[in-house]
Structures are given as C-alpha cells and as structure tokens.
Amino acid sequence: MGKVVFHVVLPTETKMFCGCPVPAMDEEGYYQPGMDCPVCCGEKGAYPILNKTAVEEAIAVVLALNGKVTQYTLFDRVKSETGLYDMISQYSYPIGKEGYVEYALLKEVFLDSDEAAKEDETDLEIGNHSIHHLDIPVMRLKESEEEKGIPVLEIVSDPIEEEQNPYYIEAIETILTALGMEAWEIIETDDLIETMESQKPLSYLPDPDIPPVIISQWWIDQIAAKYPELIHIEEPEVEEDDF
C-alpha cells in the first residue's frame, strides 16, 4: 500500500512567477535553456508576480477531481538540496483538498455454464459492477523541481492498495486529458519510502514576497462554466419565503 503522486505541468505560456516564456521541451523530456530575468535569478528587489492562468488551470483540475478550492491560499519557501529556501510550493494552505475519483469494476459472479451464457451480455443491465471511491486529500500549486519556474499542480492520493493503482491512475489521466493537460509525472510511493521521508521532513517558511491569494466563489463558478461536462457546481438551496 502506498500513495500515488501526480506532478501535472500546467499549460501556460509564461512561468509561474514572472513573464519569461516557458522553455521548450526536447524529445527526451528535458527543458531547453530559456530566458532568465531578475526574478528567475533571485536578484534583490525583483519580486515574483503570480501567474493568473496557472491558478485558473489548477482550480479547474481541483474541481474536476471533485475537490474543494481553498479560497484563501498561501505560498511557502521550501528548503532545497542546496540548503537554501529557493523553491516555492504550498503547505498549510494548498489550493485544493478533499477530492476523489470513482471507478467501476465488474463483480465476480459464479454461475453455471447455461446461466453464464445468458448473463454474459447483460452484466451492465443487472448491475454487476462495484463502485470504488479513492480520496485525494491534497492538491498543491508549486514550481517544478526539475525546471524552476514551471507551474505544476501536485496531486497526492490517500494510501491505495497496489492492485488499485492502475485504475486510479487511469481515472486521473482521463480527467487530465479531458481538461487539455498534456504533461505529467507519476510517482508511486510505498511504506518504506514514506517512512524514510518522515525522518527527513521538508522545511517550509511562508513566502514574504507573494501575498495571499483570495479566490472568490464567482471566480470558481466562471472556471467551472468552461467545462460543463466535467465540473458540476451544486447550486445553493434557496428557501421560499412564507407569505
């Protein structure tokens, strides 16, 4: 049993915190050298500006995965392998939480040969399918660890049985494809890796240069309206006044 982590590259023209174009990727999946501005280089006095498109793409994924959008979200500085707080991610206030996906599996039905012949083409009609529900507690907006500045949404599952992994991955990939996402990396962790990671916890500090992001319900509804077949926002119940 372990977690499955998706690192989804959000389709934006510019980087996460500046106006530099996203560098092209070669055939082997490596980013080509691109433009570096004062923000990219971390120069003093150069302040990051959050990419609005990246936020909207992340919100669309959160909603399509049946998650709740955090309407007050913050960014943190993360200590990298260099020992510096030079990576930007989310920790206490991720952009999405409490998501889930569902998939159906055909139940095992024990029938004799004559019954099996009759039931073979009617499984869907008689409801011989079980629905499996898999939770996604956290979705974080962050920079890519491979190429600084590339907008990424990290999707972290609850622990999943190994035999369920292919179905969970297929369910997520189907939704990402429908949303127009083109690139993602899948990381499968097991209990041993999680134990090792817990012994070396990451260090986070609130980013002093990026203000909190306030996401209104109006903004959420506007994004949801772009994908009516994937995203369904429940209308609040209106009580009729008694006259």
Side-chain angles (χ1 to χ4, degrees):
M1 179 180 289
K3 296 181 180 181
V4 177
V5 180
F6 273 78
H7 284 170
V8 182
V9 179
L10 301 174
T12 61
E13 295 181 359
T14 57
K15 292 184 178 180
M16 183 78 155
F17 298 106
C18 69
C20 291
V22 172
M25 187 180 290
D26 61 23
E27 295 179 355
E28 297 180 355
Y30 294 99
Y31 288 99
Q32 297 297 305
M35 182 187 302
D36 285 332
C37 69
V39 174
C40 294
C41 299
E43 295 182 9
K44 291 183 178 180
Y47 295 102
I49 299 176
L50 183 59
N51 188 327
K52 180 182 176 182
T53 301
V55 175
E56 292 181 337
E57 295 287 354
I59 290 173
V61 177
V62 171
L63 294 175
L65 295 177
N66 305 296
K68 294 182 179 179
V69 176
T70 306
Q71 294 185 257
Y72 177 90
T73 185
L74 293 172
F75 286 87
D76 301 276
R77 290 276 176 173
V78 188
K79 184 184 289 186
S80 67
E81 294 179 355
T82 64
L84 301 175
Y85 287 89
D86 55 1
M87 295 297 298
I88 300 177
S89 181
Q90 293 181 321
Y91 181 61
S92 298
Y93 296 89
I95 195 166
K97 56 185 179 180
E98 298 180 24
Y100 66 89
V101 292
E102 293 180 333
Y103 66 90
L105 283 182
L106 185 64
K107 296 177 182 177
E108 293 184 5
V109 181
F110 299 96
L111 305 169
D112 60 34
S113 58
D114 291 336
E115 290 177 323
K118 295 178 183 178
E119 299 287 359
D120 186 43
E121 297 180 357
T122 59
D123 285 325
L124 288 174
E125 296 178 8
I126 63 176
N128 285 338
H129 286 73
S130 59
I131 302 299
H132 293 258
H133 181 107
L134 298 173
D135 289 323
I136 307 167
V138 177
M139 289 158 272
R140 298 186 182 96
L141 194 55
K142 59 182 290 185
E143 286 184 308
S144 169
E145 296 175 11
E146 288 73 26
E147 179 69 20
K148 190 174 180 181
I150 304 299
V152 165
L153 183 68
E154 182 178 69
I155 304 170
V156 184
S157 75
D158 263 351
I160 300 175
E161 298 290 345
E162 186 175 353
E163 59 270 19
Q164 290 182 302
N165 281 7
Y167 303 103
Y168 173 79
I169 290 172
E170 181 181 10
I172 298 289
E173 290 185 327
T174 299
I175 292 171
L176 294 177
T177 301
L179 288 171
M181 306 294 160
E182 298 180 352
W184 53 79
E185 178 187 11
I186 301 170
I187 304 168
E188 296 184 32
T189 66
D190 56 27
D191 291 336
L192 175 61
I193 295 175
E194 290 178 30
T195 300
M196 293 173 63
E197 288 181 344
S198 67
Q199 294 172 353
K200 297 186 297 183
L202 294 174
S203 182
Y204 294 85
L205 289 175
D207 194 306
D209 298 327
I210 305 175
V213 181
I214 309 299
I215 302 173
S216 68
Q217 188 61 49
W218 178 88
W219 194 9
I220 294 172
D221 293 342
Q222 294 300 306
I223 296 169
K226 297 179 182 179
Y227 307 95
E229 296 182 359
L230 280 174
I231 300 171
H232 305 282
I233 299 292
E234 295 184 3
E235 296 291 336
E237 295 183 2
V238 178
E239 296 182 2
E240 295 184 1
D241 294 331
D242 294 327
F243 294 98

